[in-house]
Amino acid sequence: MIDTEGFRDFVAARGHALSRTAFLLTGDHGQAEDLLQETLVKAATRWRRVSAAADPEAYVRTMMLNQLRTWRRPRRLTIVPTADLPDSGPHHDQSTQTDLKIMLGRALGVLTAKQRIVLYLRFYEDLPESAVAAQLGCSVGTVKRHAHDALNRLRRVAPRLLERVCP
């Protein structure tokens, strides 16, 4: 029996942060939604074990990383035409923020899945190289190489991102 109330509360409280994590790992909103949905379905079926963990959110993030590493199917964009456009609400000029998000999405798209995972764990989760290596089941040298290659690729592809981060 699933503790649906507890699971709903968890998703309501931490769903946005998990969605952001999925986007950082995939670099694509559609793939991020798929990754998060597949992970949450698995978490729901194992909710008793997940909720008993010391940090359920960390447990779900680890599930998400494992899910991403096992994805083999190609991702395709599906466009469904509609006659009615959704109401966008009041308009606020967020062009700078939008440009940055687009740039980040494109930059993440040129990285391999392993490079995105390493950058996420090292710089977003702020884990030491040894912890990243342990989580990925590889050597510290491999973690350093993935981080080095990813950062060099980002410097070439999106130098403006680094200007925003390190003025």
Side-chain angles (χ1 to χ4, degrees):
M1 177 148 213
I2 298 174
D3 173 17
T4 56
E5 185 80 18
F7 180 71
R8 279 191 196 135
D9 291 345
F10 172 77
V11 172
R14 302 307 306 154
H16 191 308
L18 291 169
S19 177
R20 186 174 47 246
T21 296
F23 174 74
L24 291 172
L25 291 172
T26 62
D28 178 80
H29 287 291
Q31 288 182 16
E33 289 172 357
D34 291 346
L35 176 62
L36 181 59
Q37 181 176 358
E38 289 176 24
T39 303
L40 289 177
V41 166
K42 287 183 179 183
T45 61
R46 301 176 180 115
W47 185 244
R48 185 172 295 153
R49 187 176 348 144
V50 173
S51 63
D55 185 355
E57 184 174 354
Y59 193 106
V60 172
R61 287 178 194 265
T62 300
M63 290 175 70
M64 192 180 303
L65 289 170
N66 292 335
Q67 182 69 31
L68 179 64
R69 287 192 289 185
T70 61
W71 270 4
R72 296 281 184 248
R73 65 177 188 226
R75 302 291 176 193
R76 292 197 176 122
L77 176 64
T78 304
I79 299 174
V80 179
T82 180
D84 300 320
L85 293 175
D87 182 23
S88 62
H91 178 70
H92 301 287
D93 184 21
Q94 298 178 344
S95 60
T96 304
Q97 201 171 24
T98 302
D99 288 345
L100 186 60
K101 286 180 182 180
I102 291 170
M103 192 183 333
L104 176 62
R106 286 184 182 154
L108 290 173
V110 301
L111 301 178
T112 66
K114 280 258 181 159
Q115 289 173 338
R116 285 192 305 269
I117 290 170
V118 167
L119 289 183
Y120 169 77
L121 292 172
R122 282 286 293 129
F123 301 110
Y124 190 78
E125 291 291 328
D126 200 25
L127 295 177
E129 291 163 341
S130 58
V132 174
Q135 188 158 2
L136 295 178
C138 63
S139 70
V140 172
T142 301
V143 170
K144 289 180 179 182
R145 171 52 58 194
H146 282 306
H148 175 79
D149 291 347
L151 291 173
N152 279 341
R153 187 173 281 178
L154 288 176
R155 283 184 188 102
R156 281 193 315 273
V157 173
R160 284 184 45 211
L161 273 180
L162 292 176
E163 292 170 8
R164 306 278 304 211
V165 176
C166 308

